[in-house]
Amino acid sequence: MVSNRVEPLQVKFQIRTSKKSNVERLLRIKKSSTKKKFIKEKMGQVPRVIDGIEYDIATDDDAQEIAELFISDFCLTEPLNKALKVTQFEARTPVEFGVRKVIKDGISVKATDISSKKIVAGRLSMIVDSAKKGEDAVALREIFQVVPERLHPLINFVTQVASAEMPDIFQKFGVDKYVEFMAVNVNVDYRGKRIAQNILNVAYDVCRSKEFHVVKVLATNPRTAHIFQKQGFEKVASYKVLDYIHDGKSYFEGIEELEIAKTFLRDLRTAQ
């Protein structure tokens, strides 16, 4: 008769092997988790240097230099501002106020020339929080207080009218916060070096690393609208600029580059 009895030594070996297997499995899980965490941290890691330009999160100390960058160029060449012939004098106070306020969210990105230590580009972004709608309304009233009265319809168009048909972002994507890309500008002497594209990619990664999953942008420049569409943004609202009437006439009468302002959304959880 053949015995099925397992010798004690063999039982011990089986137990030890089982324990070893469990330990190895736990180590593999831990290693995989650590690797994913590292990749996530690396993805949003700043500062990041590309071709002699350092990309980093903008701080309060950068606010004035970034404001000067926008005052000297963006406010004179962006299609809506250009149509209204906004001057540097008119732009200074509201731009300085807006940049200081937006940068405090810790989500805006700057590009600095390493050799000259000069900020050559900025991507301004703000956090929109469903729990702080009252604060957003207060902030809008504060902006109206520092913007020249003739430009009040411009602020109303950008903040309210152009995106009026947009769906509820919080409900659509199941989030309680999202990031709004406000504006980007690159120093004229540094254009054609892919800085605008690089700063945009860094901005995406910063959003992901801080666990903001949705980005909104209002494109008032045909070139940027094309870029966002290529990058997988969904157009959710559009507004024919010349249809915006103020005092009985088109407020943006004479505008050349822009026919339709478009609002885009992108879910950063969707791979591109």
Side-chain angles (χ1 to χ4, degrees), residues 6 9-19:
V6 179
L9 183 62
Q10 187 177 348
V11 172
K12 280 185 180 180
F13 177 76
Q14 289 175 340
I15 293 172
R16 286 175 182 169
T17 302
S18 177
K19 284 183 178 179

Side-chain angles (χ1 to χ4, degrees), residues 197-216:
Q197 184 60 61
N198 291 337
I199 204 171
L200 182 59
N201 290 337
V202 172
Y204 291 148
D205 289 345
V206 169
C207 289
R208 291 187 183 101
S209 70
K210 293 177 178 288
E211 299 189 348
F212 293 110
H213 303 304
V214 178
V215 175
K216 172 196 170 189

Side-chain angles (χ1 to χ4, degrees), residues 105-155:
D105 280 357
I107 206 82
S108 296
V109 179
K110 63 179 178 179
T112 306
D113 184 330
I114 293 178
S115 60
S116 67
K117 306 298 183 186
K118 180 172 71 174
I119 295 177
V120 298
R123 157 65 65 188
L124 298 175
S125 308
M126 65 179 286
I127 298 168
V128 182
D129 189 334
S130 61
K132 297 182 178 180
K133 288 184 178 179
E135 293 181 21
D136 290 341
V138 171
L140 186 59
R141 286 197 296 272
E142 290 175 345
I143 291 172
F144 274 112
Q145 289 173 3
V146 298
V147 171
E149 188 173 350
R150 86 171 186 95
L151 300 180
H152 283 189
L154 169 62
I155 302 302

